[in-house]
Amino acid sequence: MSDTVSLPEGYQISTDADRIDLDRVHRWLSTDAYWAMGRPREKQERAVAGSLNFGVYDTISGDQVAYARVITDQATFAWLCDVYVDRSVRGKNIGTALVGAVRDHLEPYGLRRILLATHDAHGVYEKLGFRELARPDQWMTLMF
């Protein structure tokens, strides 16, 4: 695996779903994330409930500053999604550290692959070992 990027001092990562600030995460995703614009709150709550959640928190204020979630069977496959870093803390390597922590958390499961989709953050993910699909012609999608 690639080297892990450390969080800047003053931040911590947690997988405690009870710490997720649902109001904040919903606002971030439904108003500022191209992949989730307009996502209803109820749908976001179901997504959180059915996922392994990661939050990054300011250790002084306790405020959540970033979020990611993973859908996985914990044996063969994982989908990393809804990775979001608050605009006020972007550029501090929080997103890179968060994705690295997700990758490291999943490593002991022995998954065959972790997938994600991104329109604009390829460089962030490449630093952590992600690559474009070698055979995209073998993948299909069903969209509703």
Side-chain angles (χ1 to χ4, degrees):
M1 288 290 157
S2 300
D3 292 333
T4 299
V5 176
S6 297
L7 274 174
E9 190 167 326
Y11 297 96
Q12 67 179 183
I13 295 175
S14 174
T15 58
D16 182 354
D18 292 335
R19 287 189 71 184
I20 301 297
D21 183 337
L22 290 171
D23 289 332
R24 182 171 293 192
V25 170
H26 177 254
R27 183 176 64 253
W28 284 338
L29 297 177
S30 67
T31 66
D32 194 41
Y34 65 85
W35 65 91
M37 295 294 286
R39 182 183 291 168
R41 169 70 186 253
E42 180 273 332
K43 186 170 279 204
Q44 184 61 47
E45 289 176 6
R46 281 192 333 216
V48 168
S51 300
L52 173 59
N53 298 277
F54 293 79
V56 179
Y57 302 89
D58 182 301
T59 57
I60 295 172
S61 69
D63 290 341
Q64 186 170 351
V65 299
Y67 175 73
R69 67 186 183 91
V70 175
I71 302 144
T72 183
D73 62 8
Q74 298 181 359
T76 63
F77 178 83
W79 177 263
L80 172 60
C81 54
D82 287 346
V83 178
Y84 187 92
V85 178
D86 188 83
R87 289 182 177 275
S88 68
V89 296
R90 289 184 186 170
K92 296 182 176 185
N93 282 327
I94 288 173
T96 304
L98 172 59
V99 173
V102 169
R103 180 202 61 200
D104 295 349
H105 184 93
L106 296 174
E107 186 175 12
Y109 296 160
L111 305 174
R112 181 167 179 180
R113 69 179 47 94
I114 302 169
L115 288 178
L116 61 88
T118 184
H119 176 73
D120 58 356
H122 293 78
V124 171
Y125 298 107
E126 287 170 347
K127 285 188 236 178
L128 297 162
F130 286 85
R131 300 290 174 255
E132 291 183 10
L133 291 173
R135 296 289 315 265
D137 58 311
Q138 291 181 348
W139 293 84
M140 297 183 72
T141 184
L142 176 63
M143 308 220 13
F144 294 98

